[in-house]
Amino acid sequence: EDARQLGIPIEYYSIVYDAIDSVECRMQEVLSPTPEGEYVGAVVVQEVFNIGGVGNIAGSKCQDGFIKKGSNVRVMPGDKILI
């Protein structure tokens, strides 16, 4: 009831995959297709390594510009932004 008063759309799904697809679609609408900040380069991820306790590390090859150690990045497969 409160959500409807605030204009928040309520959607019902019988299959969880449909709900996930809907959330991903709405996230793409909200996220900017161009990252904020200065563009310094682009890389291609060659392989992803799972390092216990640290997380995933992407073994990458620089294609354009330069990448500095410790830089903040956005992971974009095609037009979708993941991080």
Side-chain angles (χ1 to χ4, degrees):
E1 193 68 30
D2 291 334
R4 291 199 174 127
Q5 290 176 353
L6 294 172
I8 300 171
I10 306 288
E11 298 177 3
Y12 298 96
Y13 300 96
S14 59
I15 300 174
V16 70
Y17 299 111
D18 292 338
I20 292 170
D21 288 342
S22 177
V23 169
E24 286 179 347
C25 182
R26 291 191 183 266
M27 285 176 50
Q28 289 302 318
E29 292 172 1
V30 172
L31 292 174
S32 169
T34 57
E36 296 175 9
E38 180 184 354
Y39 176 84
V40 293
V43 300
V44 174
V45 176
Q46 302 289 318
E47 191 168 346
V48 177
F49 302 96
N50 187 336
I51 308 299
V54 174
N56 293 331
I57 305 295
S60 306
K61 182 177 182 181
C62 188
Q63 280 198 320
D64 179 36
F66 60 92
I67 306 299
K68 292 182 182 178
K69 182 178 178 179
S71 297
N72 292 325
V73 299
R74 288 224 177 163
V75 179
M76 301 170 59
D79 294 334
K80 292 185 179 181
I81 299 174
L82 297 180
I83 298 175

